[in-house]
């Protein structure tokens, strides 16, 4: 199959197989066996490419090493070595390569592009790993700018190559179709990654490669997650998980699930219900026989999820489940996450040496937006927070949106923890504004609950009628509504409310929404109320307990304007009291997404 006609026929056969099968089905089926038994080494290189994409990294590496050992043709050797380097970049355990000294290839052919991608990604995978001789001077902004220049060259070269590609050319670069979008996303280029996800879908459709669809769905889902467009990310991620669920090597499935776990933190929702399966795969699955970096990335995601849900001990245990942080084959963003998780857990236990080590790791990484945002957060926590926490965790230009969301959350949590009321309200308004872009209503609710954490009522005894009235009041019912529902006089209802407040140790009716009552009566059913961005901010601040004067100060508007917003909010939601608005915010208010 050395001439163009034979190569085209091979591409047609593979395209037909990928039109009905998954990549791993092609690898393990008749088409894969035919490529493995071919006398033409280029066919075996093609098979290795599919094997790498399917997660059979070690198998592909051995196949390519055999070609390099037995074939003398310089062009074939260059193609095999470029494919092998691509595998070694994502699986550093396969071989030792001095990536810093590796020659940057010239040209825009697919082999040169693959080698450029390998070098770019490998440098990111090694970022933050302490060298045997110990740390030297930290990387500078120049180092990061050089890294970005490399990545843009790969991106632009790939666009030029793929623009007019036929089916055979698409197949020859199928790994790049998946990896280039992920490469640019790991460098905080979320807009380019979103565009690449759409381009992947069009390429797959044009070439009729159905087997590429799970990868398309994953790139789209992870790009939307990075962009904090959480309401759009869930569906493609679930499709990707379903698409990868029957693969012999579950590394890609695990990666999708890891992203979904991160999404669950951002939306305060329950993670996928097959956590036990994921845990079994992490402990004893076949992913270690393939691309271990996929499984290690999942470890970072699960650790981040556990930390986000407040289980720091479990988060650190997962983060170190494969050994030391230096033993994990992850990109710099994941290494930042892991270092921050371990740092936060160690800080809670007073382990200063471990805190200092994690901080030193992040300090010696290239100053990417990920690194700078993480470093600011870690230093802020270590130092106990600045005088004004809402100004103490700056957003880094070039950060992806999900990282900005996390940074605003840290600002808010720090302000609440340190009792800076005015700063906390400003931080809440800033977070609410950003969360509106993703319609992450659950994230907004979590933010408000920082101001009003639920308090246990263990040991408190309420009469049946007190409990009934208190539950309705906590759900936002007015005294008149309660009296009509329970056929009681208004003064009687007022007495039950006063008695419940006294028994619970509360001073205000609004505080009933902050305690755990044995019975929970939901507010009247209805559609989600859509508010403008400013109305959503006002509603969030009301739910957090801010007065009109405090709202005006936080949003830098007049109290008269706050009154106008409140009137519109009450009209649109149909509630008449601030207490009712607190409950409604937690269940049925979402901001309209502003234009971006």
């Amino acid at each position: 199959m050395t001439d163009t006609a034979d190569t085209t026929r091979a591409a047609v056969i593979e395209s037909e197989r990928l039109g009905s099968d998954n990549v791993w089905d092609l690898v393990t089926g008749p088409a894969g066996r035919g490529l493995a038994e071919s006398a033409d080494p280029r066919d075996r290189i093609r098979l290795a490419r599919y094997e790498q994409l399917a997660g059979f990294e070690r198998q592909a590496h051995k196949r390519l090493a055999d070609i390099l050992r037995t074939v003398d043709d310089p062009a074939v050797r260059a193609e095999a070595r470029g494919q092998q380097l691509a595998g070694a970049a994502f699986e550093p355990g396969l071989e030792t390569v001095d990536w810093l000294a590796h020659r940057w290839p010239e040209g825009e052919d697919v082999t040169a592009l693959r080698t450029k991608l390998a070098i770019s990604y490998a440098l990111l995978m090694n970022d933050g790993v302490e060298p045997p001789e110990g740390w030297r001077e930290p990387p500078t902004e120049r180092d990061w700018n050089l890294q970005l220049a490399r990545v843009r060259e790969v991106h632009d070269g790939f666009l030029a190559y793929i623009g007019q590609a036929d089916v055979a050319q698409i197949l020859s670069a199928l790994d790049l179709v998946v990896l280039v979008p992920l490469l640019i996303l790991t460098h905080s280029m979320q807009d380019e990654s979103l565009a690449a996800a759409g381009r992947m879908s069009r390429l797959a459709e044009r070439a009729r490669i159905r087997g590429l669809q799970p990868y398309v769905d994953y790139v789209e889902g992870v790009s939307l997650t990075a962009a904090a467009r959480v309401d759009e990310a869930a569906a493609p991620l679930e499709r990707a998980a379903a698409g990868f669920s029957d693969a012999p090597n579950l590394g890609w499935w695990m990666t999708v699930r890891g992203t979904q776990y991160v999404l669950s933190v951002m939306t305060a929702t329950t993670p996928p219900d097959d956590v036990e399966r994921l845990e079994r795969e992490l402990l004893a699955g076949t992913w270690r026989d393939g691309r271990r970096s996929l499984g290690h990335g999942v470890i970072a995601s699960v650790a981040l999820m556990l930390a986000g849900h407040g289980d720091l001990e479990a988060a650190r245990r997962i983060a170190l489940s494969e050994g030391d942080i230096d033993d994990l084959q992850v990109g710099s963003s994941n290494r930042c996450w892991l270092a921050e998780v371990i740092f936060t857990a160690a800080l809670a236990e007073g382990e200063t040496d471990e805190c200092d080590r994690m901080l030193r790791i992040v300090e010696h990484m290239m100053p990417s937006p990920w690194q700078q945002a993480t470093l600011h957060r870690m230093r802020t926590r270590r130092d106990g927070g600045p005088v004004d926490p809402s100004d103490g965790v700056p957003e880094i230009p070039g950060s992806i949106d999900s990282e900005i969301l996390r940074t605003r959350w840290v600002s808010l949590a720090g302000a609440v923890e340190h009792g800076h009321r005015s700063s906390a309200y400003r931080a809440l308004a800033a977070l609410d504004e950003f969360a509106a872009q993703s319609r992450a209503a659950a994230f907004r609710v979590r933010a408000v609950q920082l101001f009003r954490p639920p308090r246990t009522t263990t040991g408190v005894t309420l009469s049946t009628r007190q409990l009934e009235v208190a539950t309705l009041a906590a759900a936002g019912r007015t005294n008149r509504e309660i009296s009509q529902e329970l056929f009681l006089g208004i003064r009687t209802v007022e007495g039950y409310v006063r008695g419940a407040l006294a028994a619970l140790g509360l001073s205000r009716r609004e505080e009933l929404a902050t305690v755990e009552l044995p019975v929970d009566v939901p507010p009247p059913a209805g559609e989600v109320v859509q508010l403008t961005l400013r109305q959503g901010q006002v509603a969030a601040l009301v739910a957090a307990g801010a007065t009109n004067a405090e709202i005006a100060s936080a949003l830098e508007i007049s109290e008269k304007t706050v009154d106008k917003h409140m009137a519109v909010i009450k009209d649109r939601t149909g509630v008449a009291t601030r207490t009712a608005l607190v409950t409604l915010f937690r269940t049925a208010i979402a901001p309209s997404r502003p234009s971006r």
Side-chain angles (χ1 to χ4, degrees):
M1 297 186 190
T2 55
D3 59 36
T4 303
D6 284 342
T7 300
T8 302
R9 283 197 294 273
V12 169
I13 293 172
E14 293 162 27
S15 179
E16 289 175 350
R17 291 268 53 82
L18 289 172
S20 57
D21 296 335
N22 294 309
V23 175
W24 49 91
D25 291 328
L26 184 149
V27 169
T28 59
R33 288 194 294 273
L35 291 171
E37 295 166 1
S38 172
D40 187 344
R42 284 189 172 88
D43 287 343
R44 284 173 276 149
I45 294 173
R46 297 167 78 87
L47 176 58
R49 185 176 306 133
Y50 296 132
E51 287 172 331
Q52 288 178 343
L53 198 54
F56 302 114
E57 203 72 67
R58 296 176 182 278
Q59 184 174 310
H61 197 79
K62 291 178 181 177
R63 192 180 306 282
L64 293 165
D66 182 68
I67 292 171
L68 289 168
R69 187 171 54 252
T70 58
V71 175
D72 294 328
D73 186 325
V76 173
R77 290 179 60 83
E79 185 178 355
R81 183 54 178 162
Q83 196 72 57
Q84 194 179 51
L85 283 172
F90 288 89
E91 181 56 34
L94 291 174
E95 64 173 291
T96 301
V97 181
D98 187 352
W99 295 102
L100 283 172
H102 203 285
R103 185 180 65 85
W104 186 258
E106 298 179 357
E108 298 298 334
D109 62 277
V110 71
T111 296
L113 284 172
R114 188 172 286 113
T115 303
K116 291 176 182 179
L117 180 139
I119 295 172
S120 301
Y121 208 93
L123 291 173
L124 209 66
M125 294 285 283
N126 287 285
D127 193 24
V129 177
E130 185 171 4
E133 65 275 13
W135 294 117
R136 298 180 181 177
E137 290 298 315
T140 65
E141 188 175 350
R142 180 179 178 277
D143 296 303
W144 178 244
N145 289 336
L146 177 59
Q147 177 75 1
L148 290 181
R150 293 190 189 102
V151 173
R152 290 194 178 96
E153 185 175 333
V154 174
H155 180 234
D156 294 345
F158 177 71
L159 291 184
Y161 175 85
I162 211 71
Q164 302 299 322
D166 58 21
V167 173
Q169 290 170 317
I170 292 174
L171 289 173
S172 73
L174 202 61
D175 54 336
L176 299 183
V177 172
V178 175
L179 298 179
V180 169
L182 295 178
L183 175 72
I184 61 179
L185 181 59
T186 55
H187 288 79
S188 301
M189 303 177 188
Q190 68 184 31
D191 293 336
E192 291 92 336
S193 179
L194 283 167
R199 187 162 48 249
M200 279 180 68
S201 182
R202 292 190 294 274
L203 279 173
E205 184 177 352
R206 174 155 62 91
R208 299 181 180 177
I209 304 177
R210 189 190 71 83
L212 198 60
Q213 193 58 48
Y215 302 95
V216 173
D217 289 329
Y218 172 64
V219 170
E220 180 184 2
V222 74
S223 298
L224 289 168
T225 300
R229 290 165 57 177
V230 296
D231 56 331
E232 301 172 61
L237 286 174
E238 191 54 44
R239 290 197 303 269
F244 287 124
S245 64
D246 62 348
N249 186 309
L250 288 176
W252 281 105
W253 174 82
M254 292 166 59
T255 299
V256 177
R257 281 295 191 236
T259 305
Q260 289 178 300
Y261 292 157
V262 173
L263 192 65
S264 77
V265 174
M266 295 173 65
T267 57
T269 54
T270 303
D273 58 7
D274 50 4
V275 175
E276 290 185 1
R277 183 189 183 194
L278 180 68
E279 289 178 348
R280 287 197 302 272
E281 287 299 321
L282 279 174
L283 290 172
T286 59
W287 59 273
R288 290 180 183 83
D289 297 329
R291 182 175 291 178
R292 285 184 296 170
S293 58
L294 291 174
H296 289 177
V298 176
I299 287 172
S301 298
V302 174
L304 182 68
M305 177 199 71
L306 291 169
H309 287 302
D311 194 345
L312 292 176
E313 182 181 352
R316 178 159 65 167
R317 186 174 66 251
I318 288 292
L320 299 175
S321 59
E322 287 287 295
D324 189 68
I325 187 173
D326 283 349
D327 298 325
L328 294 178
Q329 299 170 10
V330 292
S332 63
S333 57
N334 278 335
R335 201 172 302 280
C336 279
W337 284 353
L338 288 162
E340 187 175 12
V341 164
I342 297 169
F343 170 90
T344 304
L347 189 66
E349 296 295 326
E351 300 171 6
T352 56
D353 288 346
E354 186 75 344
C355 290
D356 290 344
R357 180 176 174 239
M358 291 303 112
L359 191 60
R360 193 160 54 249
I361 287 173
V362 177
E363 287 172 339
H364 285 83
M365 296 174 72
M366 286 186 287
S368 66
W370 294 95
Q371 183 265 357
Q372 292 183 71
T374 304
L375 189 59
H376 278 295
R377 288 196 297 265
M378 291 171 71
R379 284 174 173 169
T380 298
R381 287 191 178 107
R382 181 198 61 184
D383 298 338
V387 175
D388 186 348
S390 68
D391 297 327
V393 189
E395 292 169 14
I396 309 301
S399 293
I400 63 173
D401 289 351
S402 59
E403 195 68 10
I404 295 174
L405 196 62
R406 289 184 69 212
T407 296
R408 294 196 182 190
W409 175 268
V410 169
S411 296
L412 171 61
V416 172
E417 180 182 353
H418 289 85
H420 295 280
R421 188 178 180 90
S422 60
S423 297
Y425 288 145
R426 288 200 302 275
L428 174 62
L431 182 139
D432 192 84
E433 176 186 15
F434 201 81
Q437 296 177 3
S438 57
R439 298 178 70 173
F443 202 94
R444 302 168 69 233
V445 169
R446 287 179 67 205
V448 168
Q449 288 173 341
L450 285 175
F451 293 83
R452 297 167 178 261
R455 285 175 283 171
T456 181
T457 56
T458 302
V460 175
T461 301
L462 297 179
S463 69
T464 301
R465 190 60 94 181
Q466 279 180 330
L467 178 61
E468 194 173 19
V469 170
T471 302
L472 290 169
R477 308 292 207 278
T478 65
N479 285 353
R480 183 171 298 280
E481 289 170 338
I482 296 172
S483 71
Q484 292 172 348
E485 186 165 339
L486 299 181
F487 301 102
L488 297 172
I490 290 181
R491 290 186 180 276
T492 302
V493 171
E494 291 173 351
Y496 281 128
V497 171
R498 283 196 301 272
L501 290 175
L504 294 168
L506 306 177
S507 58
R508 294 187 301 155
R509 181 191 185 97
E510 290 88 344
E511 292 177 309
L512 286 169
T514 73
V515 298
E516 298 173 354
L517 295 172
V519 180
D520 183 20
V521 178
E527 295 184 357
V528 171
V529 180
Q530 297 289 340
L531 301 177
T532 65
L533 172 62
R534 184 63 89 193
Q535 290 164 359
Q537 287 178 303
V538 170
L541 287 163
V542 169
T547 65
N548 281 12
E550 289 169 328
I551 295 171
S553 175
L555 299 180
E556 297 182 347
I557 57 179
S558 68
E559 287 191 56
K560 183 176 292 186
T561 302
V562 174
D563 289 335
K564 290 179 180 178
H565 284 308
M566 285 294 299
V568 174
I569 292 168
K570 290 179 179 179
D571 179 65
R572 295 191 65 183
T573 59
V575 302
T577 67
R578 295 173 86 92
T579 303
L581 186 59
V582 169
T583 301
L584 192 63
F585 179 85
R586 298 183 179 198
T587 57
I589 287 182
S592 299
R593 177 182 292 165
S595 59
R596 301 188 65 189

